[in-house]
mmCIF file with all atom_site columns, all heavy atoms in Angstrom:
data_model
loop_
_atom_site.group_PDB
_atom_site.id
_atom_site.type_symbol
_atom_site.label_atom_id
_atom_site.label_alt_id
_atom_site.label_comp_id
_atom_site.label_asym_id
_atom_site.label_entity_id
_atom_site.label_seq_id
_atom_site.pdbx_PDB_ins_code
_atom_site.Cartn_x
_atom_site.Cartn_y
_atom_site.Cartn_z
_atom_site.occupancy
_atom_site.B_iso_or_equiv
_atom_site.pdbx_formal_charge
_atom_site.auth_seq_id
_atom_site.auth_comp_id
_atom_site.auth_asym_id
_atom_site.auth_atom_id
_atom_site.pdbx_PDB_model_num
ATOM 1   N N   . LYS A 1 9  ? -19.115 -122.530 60.282 1.00 92.00 ? 9  LYS A N   1
ATOM 2   C CA  . LYS A 1 9  ? -20.435 -123.132 60.528 1.00 92.00 ? 9  LYS A CA  1
ATOM 3   C C   . LYS A 1 9  ? -21.524 -122.161 60.083 1.00 92.00 ? 9  LYS A C   1
ATOM 4   O O   . LYS A 1 9  ? -21.476 -120.977 60.417 1.00 92.00 ? 9  LYS A O   1
ATOM 5   C CB  . LYS A 1 9  ? -20.619 -123.441 62.015 1.00 92.00 ? 9  LYS A CB  1
ATOM 6   C CG  . LYS A 1 9  ? -19.812 -124.628 62.525 1.00 92.00 ? 9  LYS A CG  1
ATOM 7   C CD  . LYS A 1 9  ? -20.097 -124.851 63.994 1.00 92.00 ? 9  LYS A CD  1
ATOM 8   C CE  . LYS A 1 9  ? -19.339 -126.045 64.551 1.00 92.00 ? 9  LYS A CE  1
ATOM 9   N NZ  . LYS A 1 9  ? -19.875 -127.331 64.045 1.00 92.00 ? 9  LYS A NZ  1
ATOM 10  N N   . PHE A 1 10 ? -22.475 -122.684 59.312 1.00 92.00 ? 10 PHE A N   1
ATOM 11  C CA  . PHE A 1 10 ? -23.627 -121.886 58.882 1.00 92.00 ? 10 PHE A CA  1
ATOM 12  C C   . PHE A 1 10 ? -24.880 -122.485 59.525 1.00 92.00 ? 10 PHE A C   1
ATOM 13  O O   . PHE A 1 10 ? -25.165 -123.672 59.355 1.00 92.00 ? 10 PHE A O   1
ATOM 14  C CB  . PHE A 1 10 ? -23.763 -121.925 57.356 1.00 92.00 ? 10 PHE A CB  1
ATOM 15  C CG  . PHE A 1 10 ? -22.678 -121.170 56.615 1.00 92.00 ? 10 PHE A CG  1
ATOM 16  C CD1 . PHE A 1 10 ? -21.498 -121.801 56.245 1.00 92.00 ? 10 PHE A CD1 1
ATOM 17  C CD2 . PHE A 1 10 ? -22.849 -119.831 56.294 1.00 92.00 ? 10 PHE A CD2 1
ATOM 18  C CE1 . PHE A 1 10 ? -20.511 -121.117 55.561 1.00 92.00 ? 10 PHE A CE1 1
ATOM 19  C CE2 . PHE A 1 10 ? -21.861 -119.140 55.605 1.00 92.00 ? 10 PHE A CE2 1
ATOM 20  C CZ  . PHE A 1 10 ? -20.686 -119.776 55.243 1.00 92.00 ? 10 PHE A CZ  1
ATOM 21  N N   . TYR A 1 11 ? -25.612 -121.642 60.283 1.00 92.00 ? 11 TYR A N   1
ATOM 22  C CA  . TYR A 1 11 ? -26.877 -122.067 60.914 1.00 92.00 ? 11 TYR A CA  1
ATOM 23  C C   . TYR A 1 11 ? -28.027 -121.608 60.016 1.00 92.00 ? 11 TYR A C   1
ATOM 24  O O   . TYR A 1 11 ? -28.315 -120.402 59.930 1.00 92.00 ? 11 TYR A O   1
ATOM 25  C CB  . TYR A 1 11 ? -26.992 -121.480 62.311 1.00 92.00 ? 11 TYR A CB  1
ATOM 26  C CG  . TYR A 1 11 ? -25.919 -121.992 63.250 1.00 92.00 ? 11 TYR A CG  1
ATOM 27  C CD1 . TYR A 1 11 ? -24.687 -121.344 63.344 1.00 92.00 ? 11 TYR A CD1 1
ATOM 28  C CD2 . TYR A 1 11 ? -26.156 -123.119 64.033 1.00 92.00 ? 11 TYR A CD2 1
ATOM 29  C CE1 . TYR A 1 11 ? -23.694 -121.814 64.202 1.00 92.00 ? 11 TYR A CE1 1
ATOM 30  C CE2 . TYR A 1 11 ? -25.173 -123.601 64.896 1.00 92.00 ? 11 TYR A CE2 1
ATOM 31  C CZ  . TYR A 1 11 ? -23.942 -122.948 64.966 1.00 92.00 ? 11 TYR A CZ  1
ATOM 32  O OH  . TYR A 1 11 ? -22.972 -123.435 65.816 1.00 92.00 ? 11 TYR A OH  1
ATOM 33  N N   . LEU A 1 12 ? -28.664 -122.538 59.344 1.00 90.00 ? 12 LEU A N   1
ATOM 34  C CA  . LEU A 1 12 ? -29.642 -122.206 58.306 1.00 90.00 ? 12 LEU A CA  1
ATOM 35  C C   . LEU A 1 12 ? -30.947 -122.975 58.484 1.00 90.00 ? 12 LEU A C   1
ATOM 36  O O   . LEU A 1 12 ? -31.015 -123.940 59.252 1.00 90.00 ? 12 LEU A O   1
ATOM 37  C CB  . LEU A 1 12 ? -29.039 -122.540 56.926 1.00 90.00 ? 12 LEU A CB  1
ATOM 38  C CG  . LEU A 1 12 ? -27.678 -121.888 56.608 1.00 90.00 ? 12 LEU A CG  1
ATOM 39  C CD1 . LEU A 1 12 ? -27.066 -122.503 55.364 1.00 90.00 ? 12 LEU A CD1 1
ATOM 40  C CD2 . LEU A 1 12 ? -27.827 -120.376 56.442 1.00 90.00 ? 12 LEU A CD2 1
ATOM 41  N N   . HIS A 1 13 ? -31.953 -122.525 57.750 1.00 90.00 ? 13 HIS A N   1
ATOM 42  C CA  . HIS A 1 13 ? -33.238 -123.228 57.731 1.00 90.00 ? 13 HIS A CA  1
ATOM 43  C C   . HIS A 1 13 ? -33.250 -124.204 56.568 1.00 90.00 ? 13 HIS A C   1
ATOM 44  O O   . HIS A 1 13 ? -32.737 -123.907 55.482 1.00 90.00 ? 13 HIS A O   1
ATOM 45  C CB  . HIS A 1 13 ? -34.391 -122.234 57.605 1.00 90.00 ? 13 HIS A CB  1
ATOM 46  C CG  . HIS A 1 13 ? -34.464 -121.254 58.727 1.00 90.00 ? 13 HIS A CG  1
ATOM 47  N ND1 . HIS A 1 13 ? -33.764 -120.085 58.762 1.00 90.00 ? 13 HIS A ND1 1
ATOM 48  C CD2 . HIS A 1 13 ? -35.183 -121.296 59.899 1.00 90.00 ? 13 HIS A CD2 1
ATOM 49  C CE1 . HIS A 1 13 ? -34.020 -119.418 59.879 1.00 90.00 ? 13 HIS A CE1 1
ATOM 50  N NE2 . HIS A 1 13 ? -34.898 -120.151 60.597 1.00 90.00 ? 13 HIS A NE2 1
ATOM 51  N N   . LYS A 1 14 ? -33.869 -125.345 56.779 1.00 88.00 ? 14 LYS A N   1
ATOM 52  C CA  . LYS A 1 14 ? -33.864 -126.376 55.753 1.00 88.00 ? 14 LYS A CA  1
ATOM 53  C C   . LYS A 1 14 ? -34.662 -125.973 54.518 1.00 88.00 ? 14 LYS A C   1
ATOM 54  O O   . LYS A 1 14 ? -34.212 -126.169 53.385 1.00 88.00 ? 14 LYS A O   1
ATOM 55  C CB  . LYS A 1 14 ? -34.449 -127.674 56.323 1.00 88.00 ? 14 LYS A CB  1
ATOM 56  C CG  . LYS A 1 14 ? -33.554 -128.379 57.317 1.00 88.00 ? 14 LYS A CG  1
ATOM 57  C CD  . LYS A 1 14 ? -34.209 -129.684 57.753 1.00 88.00 ? 14 LYS A CD  1
ATOM 58  C CE  . LYS A 1 14 ? -33.336 -130.394 58.799 1.00 88.00 ? 14 LYS A CE  1
ATOM 59  N NZ  . LYS A 1 14 ? -33.970 -131.663 59.238 1.00 88.00 ? 14 LYS A NZ  1
ATOM 60  N N   . PHE A 1 15 ? -35.844 -125.421 54.709 1.00 89.00 ? 15 PHE A N   1
ATOM 61  C CA  . PHE A 1 15 ? -36.741 -125.215 53.585 1.00 89.00 ? 15 PHE A CA  1
ATOM 62  C C   . PHE A 1 15 ? -36.158 -124.329 52.478 1.00 89.00 ? 15 PHE A C   1
ATOM 63  O O   . PHE A 1 15 ? -36.190 -124.714 51.305 1.00 89.00 ? 15 PHE A O   1
ATOM 64  C CB  . PHE A 1 15 ? -38.091 -124.652 54.042 1.00 89.00 ? 15 PHE A CB  1
ATOM 65  C CG  . PHE A 1 15 ? -39.023 -124.407 52.910 1.00 89.00 ? 15 PHE A CG  1
ATOM 66  C CD1 . PHE A 1 15 ? -39.672 -125.465 52.272 1.00 89.00 ? 15 PHE A CD1 1
ATOM 67  C CD2 . PHE A 1 15 ? -39.242 -123.103 52.452 1.00 89.00 ? 15 PHE A CD2 1
ATOM 68  C CE1 . PHE A 1 15 ? -40.533 -125.219 51.205 1.00 89.00 ? 15 PHE A CE1 1
ATOM 69  C CE2 . PHE A 1 15 ? -40.100 -122.869 51.388 1.00 89.00 ? 15 PHE A CE2 1
ATOM 70  C CZ  . PHE A 1 15 ? -40.736 -123.931 50.765 1.00 89.00 ? 15 PHE A CZ  1
ATOM 71  N N   . PRO A 1 16 ? -35.602 -123.128 52.777 1.00 89.00 ? 16 PRO A N   1
ATOM 72  C CA  . PRO A 1 16 ? -35.066 -122.291 51.689 1.00 89.00 ? 16 PRO A CA  1
ATOM 73  C C   . PRO A 1 16 ? -33.963 -123.004 50.895 1.00 89.00 ? 16 PRO A C   1
ATOM 74  O O   . PRO A 1 16 ? -33.901 -122.906 49.662 1.00 89.00 ? 16 PRO A O   1
ATOM 75  C CB  . PRO A 1 16 ? -34.529 -121.053 52.412 1.00 89.00 ? 16 PRO A CB  1
ATOM 76  C CG  . PRO A 1 16 ? -35.271 -121.015 53.707 1.00 89.00 ? 16 PRO A CG  1
ATOM 77  C CD  . PRO A 1 16 ? -35.473 -122.450 54.082 1.00 89.00 ? 16 PRO A CD  1
ATOM 78  N N   . LEU A 1 17 ? -33.076 -123.743 51.602 1.00 90.00 ? 17 LEU A N   1
ATOM 79  C CA  . LEU A 1 17 ? -31.959 -124.382 50.922 1.00 90.00 ? 17 LEU A CA  1
ATOM 80  C C   . LEU A 1 17 ? -32.393 -125.609 50.124 1.00 90.00 ? 17 LEU A C   1
ATOM 81  O O   . LEU A 1 17 ? -32.013 -125.775 48.960 1.00 90.00 ? 17 LEU A O   1
ATOM 82  C CB  . LEU A 1 17 ? -30.872 -124.785 51.939 1.00 90.00 ? 17 LEU A CB  1
ATOM 83  C CG  . LEU A 1 17 ? -29.799 -123.707 52.237 1.00 90.00 ? 17 LEU A CG  1
ATOM 84  C CD1 . LEU A 1 17 ? -30.433 -122.513 52.935 1.00 90.00 ? 17 LEU A CD1 1
ATOM 85  C CD2 . LEU A 1 17 ? -28.666 -124.287 53.058 1.00 90.00 ? 17 LEU A CD2 1
ATOM 86  N N   . LEU A 1 18 ? -33.189 -126.454 50.761 1.00 90.00 ? 18 LEU A N   1
ATOM 87  C CA  . LEU A 1 18 ? -33.571 -127.698 50.081 1.00 90.00 ? 18 LEU A CA  1
ATOM 88  C C   . LEU A 1 18 ? -34.474 -127.443 48.880 1.00 90.00 ? 18 LEU A C   1
ATOM 89  O O   . LEU A 1 18 ? -34.528 -128.248 47.955 1.00 90.00 ? 18 LEU A O   1
ATOM 90  C CB  . LEU A 1 18 ? -34.268 -128.631 51.070 1.00 90.00 ? 18 LEU A CB  1
ATOM 91  C CG  . LEU A 1 18 ? -33.431 -129.050 52.291 1.00 90.00 ? 18 LEU A CG  1
ATOM 92  C CD1 . LEU A 1 18 ? -34.194 -130.088 53.112 1.00 90.00 ? 18 LEU A CD1 1
ATOM 93  C CD2 . LEU A 1 18 ? -32.070 -129.587 51.898 1.00 90.00 ? 18 LEU A CD2 1
ATOM 94  N N   . SER A 1 19 ? -35.171 -126.288 48.864 1.00 90.00 ? 19 SER A N   1
ATOM 95  C CA  . SER A 1 19 ? -36.055 -125.993 47.743 1.00 90.00 ? 19 SER A CA  1
ATOM 96  C C   . SER A 1 19 ? -35.297 -125.634 46.471 1.00 90.00 ? 19 SER A C   1
ATOM 97  O O   . SER A 1 19 ? -35.863 -125.650 45.375 1.00 90.00 ? 19 SER A O   1
ATOM 98  C CB  . SER A 1 19 ? -36.998 -124.849 48.106 1.00 90.00 ? 19 SER A CB  1
ATOM 99  O OG  . SER A 1 19 ? -36.272 -123.658 48.328 1.00 90.00 ? 19 SER A OG  1
ATOM 100 N N   . LYS A 1 20 ? -34.012 -125.323 46.616 1.00 91.00 ? 20 LYS A N   1
ATOM 101 C CA  . LYS A 1 20 ? -33.232 -124.889 45.450 1.00 91.00 ? 20 LYS A CA  1
ATOM 102 C C   . LYS A 1 20 ? -31.978 -125.741 45.210 1.00 91.00 ? 20 LYS A C   1
ATOM 103 O O   . LYS A 1 20 ? -31.355 -125.612 44.158 1.00 91.00 ? 20 LYS A O   1
ATOM 104 C CB  . LYS A 1 20 ? -32.810 -123.416 45.613 1.00 91.00 ? 20 LYS A CB  1
ATOM 105 C CG  . LYS A 1 20 ? -33.964 -122.431 45.518 1.00 91.00 ? 20 LYS A CG  1
ATOM 106 C CD  . LYS A 1 20 ? -33.463 -121.007 45.627 1.00 91.00 ? 20 LYS A CD  1
ATOM 107 C CE  . LYS A 1 20 ? -34.587 -120.005 45.363 1.00 91.00 ? 20 LYS A CE  1
ATOM 108 N NZ  . LYS A 1 20 ? -35.725 -120.126 46.276 1.00 91.00 ? 20 LYS A NZ  1
ATOM 109 N N   . SER A 1 21 ? -31.587 -126.591 46.149 1.00 91.00 ? 21 SER A N   1
ATOM 110 C CA  . SER A 1 21 ? -30.347 -127.370 45.997 1.00 91.00 ? 21 SER A CA  1
ATOM 111 C C   . SER A 1 21 ? -30.640 -128.867 46.077 1.00 91.00 ? 21 SER A C   1
ATOM 112 O O   . SER A 1 21 ? -30.995 -129.390 47.141 1.00 91.00 ? 21 SER A O   1
ATOM 113 C CB  . SER A 1 21 ? -29.336 -126.986 47.082 1.00 91.00 ? 21 SER A CB  1
ATOM 114 O OG  . SER A 1 21 ? -28.223 -127.854 47.059 1.00 91.00 ? 21 SER A OG  1
ATOM 115 N N   . ALA A 1 22 ? -30.440 -129.559 44.959 1.00 92.00 ? 22 ALA A N   1
ATOM 116 C CA  . ALA A 1 22 ? -30.641 -131.006 44.922 1.00 92.00 ? 22 ALA A CA  1
ATOM 117 C C   . ALA A 1 22 ? -29.585 -131.733 45.745 1.00 92.00 ? 22 ALA A C   1
ATOM 118 O O   . ALA A 1 22 ? -29.863 -132.761 46.365 1.00 92.00 ? 22 ALA A O   1
ATOM 119 C CB  . ALA A 1 22 ? -30.606 -131.495 43.478 1.00 92.00 ? 22 ALA A CB  1
#
Side-chain angles (χ1 to χ4, degrees):
K9 287 181 179 289
F10 290 89
Y11 296 88
L12 305 169
H13 300 86
K14 288 183 182 180
F15 179 75
L17 271 66
L18 300 186
S19 64
K20 291 182 173 59
S21 172

